[in-house]
Amino acid sequence: MKTAITIHALAAALGALGSASAQAADGTLDPTFGAGGVAYMALDGVEGHQLAPRAMSVQHDGRIVLGGWRNKIIAGTPDPRMRAMVARLRPDGSPDATFGADPALPGLSVLPDLVVGTQMQWVEAMRVNDDGSLYVAGSCFAFGPMHGFIAKVRADGTLDTAFGDGGVVLFRGLQLHDMGVDSQGRVVAAGEHVGGTPQYRGVVV
């Protein structure tokens, strides 16, 4: 059975970005977007069961990009299997079939296992580049060594292997929560170092 996952607060965010239709009053759901003003993505119950966006951006062409995690439930264990994901919707709220490698799950790109052994891996921040590629930052932890990560994702949803190590840069002992890109294309991310005395310290990479 497919599980429909609401894209959290998407309609409200789009309204703030000026997407309100002439058919909808300010502050109300736009019925021309998604299903009655709300966009959904359906998982197949095999490759994934839950989607949770934690970051959102809009490309110059109006396509909507979301980052967060996908959880795959494994029978017989209560442990999570969250993997970092990026999803892209068309301006009308439908999944963008040109994004992601799985035709059964259009618009969804699940990143590979970034730190083997960690059960919770998720995107917390993103920036869209002019060519449609993305930088994403986030954290990997639980049941394995904690790492922060920055990854570059091509416009088709695949990792850009020319960036870092196969598309990813890892930072041991960190969690990364926000990021930016300066005028020279340099990526800056902020978060915290976990462990030591004091236990948490703010970091910028």
Side-chain angles (χ1 to χ4, degrees), residues 5-12 14 28-41 89 92-94:
I5 306 299
T6 304
I7 304 302
H8 299 282
L10 188 54
L14 287 174
T28 63
L29 292 174
D30 181 350
T32 66
F33 177 81
V38 181
Y40 296 87
M41 294 189 76
L89 306 176
D92 65 0
S94 61

Side-chain angles (χ1 to χ4, degrees), residues 7 10 14 33-34 38-42 56-59 61-66 86-97 99 106-108:
I7 304 302
L10 188 54
L14 287 174
F33 177 81
V38 181
Y40 296 87
M41 294 189 76
M56 177 188 138
S57 189
V58 179
Q59 296 182 180
D61 61 5
R63 297 185 191 194
I64 304 146
V65 186
L66 303 111
V86 183
R88 192 168 72 195
L89 306 176
R90 296 184 181 278
D92 65 0
S94 61
D96 184 351
F99 190 82
L108 178 65

Side-chain angles (χ1 to χ4, degrees), residues 74-194:
I74 306 298
T77 174
D79 296 335
R81 188 179 173 82
M82 298 177 183
R83 293 292 178 263
M85 71 85 184
V86 183
R88 192 168 72 195
L89 306 176
R90 296 184 181 278
D92 65 0
S94 61
D96 184 351
T98 67
F99 190 82
D102 187 349
L105 298 171
L108 178 65
S109 177
V110 179
L111 300 188
D113 193 355
L114 300 178
V115 180
V116 176
T118 57
Q119 296 287 67
M120 302 174 73
Q121 305 176 18
W122 55 43
V123 171
E124 297 196 55
M126 64 170 55
R127 290 295 180 273
V128 176
N129 300 314
D130 290 339
D131 62 359
S133 65
L134 311 165
Y135 287 112
V136 298
S139 306
C140 304
F141 56 98
F143 307 106
M146 178 179 296
H147 286 76
F149 69 87
I150 298 173
K152 187 176 183 183
V153 179
R154 298 188 185 101
D156 64 359
T158 60
L159 284 174
D160 183 347
T161 55
F163 177 81
D165 183 6
V168 182
V169 179
L170 296 173
F171 302 88
R172 189 178 179 90
L174 303 188
Q175 290 185 341
L176 297 178
H177 307 305
D178 205 353
M179 69 179 304
V181 181
D182 71 10
S183 61
Q184 298 181 48
R186 295 177 296 189
V187 183
V188 181
E192 57 194 340
H193 179 270
V194 180

